[in-house]
Amino acid sequence: MPCQECENGKVKWGKTGECQYDSIAECEAANKDYYEKTTSIVELVIDDDSQELAIDAISLVSAPAIEQDFVYFGKEKNNLTFAKVDEEKRMLVSPALIPNKQIFRYDPNTDSEYYVYFSPETVRKASELYLKHNNHHKATYEHQDRVSGVLTVESWIKEGDMDKSKLYGFDLPNGTWFVKMKIQNEDLWNKIKSGELKGLSIEGYFTDKMEKMSERQPTDEEILKALNEIINKSNG
């Protein structure tokens, strides 16, 4: 259970730790033994037989798994770039998936901790299937209740230094999937303005790349490529 931000701006270790650190870096340094222990890193892919489930919805959450907060624009001009957008539109811009970003996961069934990541190819494919299956109007609150009044009006993949995501203050890798969402749900908009909701998290069905390969007899080249990718991610 890694470091987490507290409501008062401090950082705590895990869900039950004290809010005693000034930054995530300080928290991680104080608990370096945890981060230095061996954990598995798993690439997630889209199963060809379950493409319609790849990205079923996008959830508005208080702690986004990709650790990147969205920016929103409304009447409160808390960022100069917001002045370029109609203040009444109730829009937010956020990364939905960042390629090769390691995301912490905990499996209570096996009491195991691990990281998952998505390749640039999988991120692009997920963004395309999200629109192909008309899921741009589907959203949830904290991965629980389906909510209305949330619509994805733009979706794009960053492809270079001139990408418009920089207008919103993001400096993320090429291949990042961005979305712009219109929030007409009054309750959610108030939670966004208050800072209770900070980012987005995807909901979908992905499979473990190594497990998927084990379902058939993989070639030596496929096995070597998968192992090299895992080793590279672990060393990176």
Side-chain angles (χ1 to χ4, degrees), residues 53-96:
L53 302 176
I55 301 292
D56 181 58
I58 292 180
S59 190
L60 289 92
V61 297
S62 58
I66 58 174
E67 299 175 341
Q68 284 286 332
D69 295 354
F70 51 53
V71 296
Y72 73 88
F73 17 92
K75 293 182 178 179
E76 300 78 6
K77 294 182 181 179
N78 58 348
N79 187 303
L80 292 177
T81 61
F82 297 166
K84 300 177 182 178
V85 183
D86 187 336
E87 295 176 357
E88 300 299 327
K89 285 187 176 179
R90 293 192 177 188
M91 298 282 195
L92 65 81
V93 172
S94 177

Side-chain angles (χ1 to χ4, degrees), residues 24-156:
I24 289 181
E26 181 183 341
C27 175
E28 291 178 346
N31 297 277
K32 63 180 181 180
D33 291 343
Y34 171 85
Y35 284 96
E36 290 175 352
K37 73 179 182 180
T38 301
T39 56
S40 61
I41 303 173
V42 178
E43 179 183 355
L44 297 184
V45 296
I46 297 172
D47 195 313
D48 293 337
D49 297 328
S50 305
Q51 291 192 5
E52 70 279 5
L53 302 176
I55 301 292
D56 181 58
I58 292 180
S59 190
L60 289 92
V61 297
S62 58
I66 58 174
E67 299 175 341
Q68 284 286 332
D69 295 354
F70 51 53
V71 296
Y72 73 88
F73 17 92
K75 293 182 178 179
E76 300 78 6
K77 294 182 181 179
N78 58 348
N79 187 303
L80 292 177
T81 61
F82 297 166
K84 300 177 182 178
V85 183
D86 187 336
E87 295 176 357
E88 300 299 327
K89 285 187 176 179
R90 293 192 177 188
M91 298 282 195
L92 65 81
V93 172
S94 177
L97 276 179
I98 303 173
N100 299 322
K101 172 74 175 181
Q102 293 180 12
I103 303 170
F104 177 81
R105 285 290 178 265
Y106 171 72
D107 186 348
N109 295 321
T110 60
D111 191 29
S112 60
E113 300 169 346
Y114 60 103
Y115 289 87
V116 300
Y117 74 96
F118 302 89
S119 70
E121 294 77 14
T122 298
V123 172
R124 179 177 291 277
K125 188 174 183 180
S127 71
E128 294 171 352
L129 292 172
Y130 172 70
L131 297 179
K132 177 180 178 180
H133 295 288
N134 197 33
N135 290 328
H136 62 285
H137 63 285
K138 295 181 180 179
T140 65
Y141 169 67
E142 294 286 7
H143 289 296
Q144 297 177 9
D145 300 327
R146 182 65 62 89
V147 293
S148 60
V150 178
L151 179 69
T152 297
V153 295
E154 289 187 40
S155 171
W156 75 94

Side-chain angles (χ1 to χ4, degrees), residues 199-210:
L200 304 180
S201 183
I202 63 169
E203 293 186 1
Y205 179 77
F206 297 87
T207 58
D208 182 325
K209 182 176 182 179
M210 293 298 287

